[in-house]
Amino acid sequence: MNLNPSALNEKPLSRREFISRMALGGGALVLISGCSHWVLPGPGSKQREKIYEYIAVDYTKCTGCRTCEAICSAFNNPISVDGRMVAGPGNPALSNIFVHSFNPDVSVPAVCARCTDTPCVNACPVDQDPTTGYRAIFQDTNYGTITNDPDRCISCGNCVDACREGSVGILAQHPETDRPMRMCTLCDGDLQCVSNCPYEALSLIRVIDDQPYYRMSPDKIAKKLSDRWYDLSA
Ligand code: SF4
Ligand code: SF4
Ligand code: SF4
């Protein structure tokens, strides 16, 4: 899988550039998903740099329209009737991105953070496969995406609890199978939520150095935004 380069900023942002970009965005650009790669930063470079790639949200642009949910679901969980695919938006309940709505009005899209310490994987009680080393939920070593193995999963829900307690809490149990759902696939590299957001609130950015805003829970993000946007002391 190669991430669609048109979705990426041309060169990685340094920490200083990232902070100044946050300031330009009203301080509301928060990272919701990340993974790291070692890359050569440019033609002729010999020294590799560690690059972090994130889906970022600009909350000053997000209207809570939920287009991302419908588009994500259509791509990753297409609906079929009598074996024939149905064109158009998918079922938002099966989307891998979930838009939390808060009062006062704050919308917080959340997606798997592709955590480097994988609380979900660590919580899985299924033994590691002797060949692959995988439990019933495992992480891709290149892109950090999380996958569930339906043949080995016992639907215990431990991974969902671990995600809620140790990370962004995006995982949920499927209403019919109880297996984990809402793991971001990165859409085979062409991030559908990023390219189809009508308000350009989502972007894929490359940043040198890990970021403090990575893996913040939707509740904490909403609290920060409410404090910033609304004067609740009156
Ligand atoms: S990158 Fe794809 S799978 Fe991940 S949240 Fe966006 S649309 Fe869904
Ligand atoms: S629900 Fe499945 S993947 Fe999740 S912890 Fe239980 S066995 Fe592992
Ligand atoms: S599913 Fe949750 S715990 Fe697992 S990598 Fe994604 S955000 Fe982290």
Side-chain angles (χ1 to χ4, degrees):
M1 173 170 67
N2 288 314
L3 295 179
N4 181 354
S6 67
L8 282 164
N9 50 305
E10 282 184 6
K11 68 181 179 61
L13 304 177
S14 66
R15 177 174 283 263
R16 180 185 293 271
E17 288 166 330
F18 175 78
I19 297 293
S20 85
R21 181 167 165 172
M22 279 195 63
L24 285 174
L29 182 70
V30 179
L31 309 166
I32 56 175
S33 172
C35 64
S36 58
H37 305 285
W38 288 99
V39 298
L40 293 172
S45 325
K46 295 204 174 125
Q47 183 112 20
R48 293 196 309 165
E49 282 180 342
K50 195 158 201 184
I51 298 295
Y52 292 82
E53 290 171 341
Y54 298 92
I55 297 174
V57 185
D58 187 336
Y59 295 101
T60 61
K61 293 182 178 173
C62 177
T63 65
C65 71
R66 296 183 179 262
T67 302
C68 53
E69 290 183 354
I71 292 289
C72 175
S73 186
F75 186 87
N76 291 285
N77 294 294
I79 299 169
S80 67
V81 175
D82 295 333
R84 298 183 61 172
M85 290 304 176
V86 178
N91 178 356
L94 300 179
S95 169
N96 298 331
I97 188 166
F98 184 80
V99 182
H100 296 260
S101 299
F102 292 90
N103 184 10
D105 190 16
V106 175
S107 298
V108 181
V111 68
C112 171
R114 292 175 280 147
C115 313
T116 49
D117 58 349
T118 59
C120 53
V121 175
N122 303 345
C124 181
V126 173
D127 288 340
Q128 288 177 290
D129 181 286
T131 308
T132 63
Y134 292 156
R135 300 180 188 277
I137 189 167
F138 52 92
Q139 184 169 46
D140 177 86
T141 48
N142 282 327
Y143 290 94
T145 46
I146 301 291
T147 302
N148 176 239
D149 180 347
D151 295 330
R152 304 191 73 219
C153 180
I154 58 172
S155 302
C156 66
N158 285 9
C159 51
V160 175
D161 293 343
C163 181
R164 183 178 59 250
E165 287 158 17
S167 187
V168 294
I170 183 69
L171 285 193
Q173 285 184 273
H174 191 282
E176 290 168 5
T177 66
D178 276 343
R179 291 198 300 268
M181 55 183 270
R182 295 204 187 127
M183 290 86 77
C184 173
T185 64
L186 295 177
C187 299
D188 297 331
D190 190 5
L191 286 72
Q192 297 295 302
C193 54
V194 171
S195 48
N196 289 289
C197 173
Y199 301 98
E200 299 183 343
L202 301 175
S203 57
L204 182 68
I205 63 170
R206 279 183 173 165
V207 184
I208 297 172
D209 205 353
D210 203 354
Q211 296 300 323
Y213 294 89
Y214 164 58
R215 208 164 86 162
M216 200 183 283
S217 77
D219 287 1
K220 284 190 183 146
I221 294 170
K223 172 79 171 60
K224 278 180 178 288
L225 293 177
S226 294
D227 289 349
R228 189 173 296 151
W229 291 349
Y230 303 101
D231 181 6
L232 300 178
S233 58

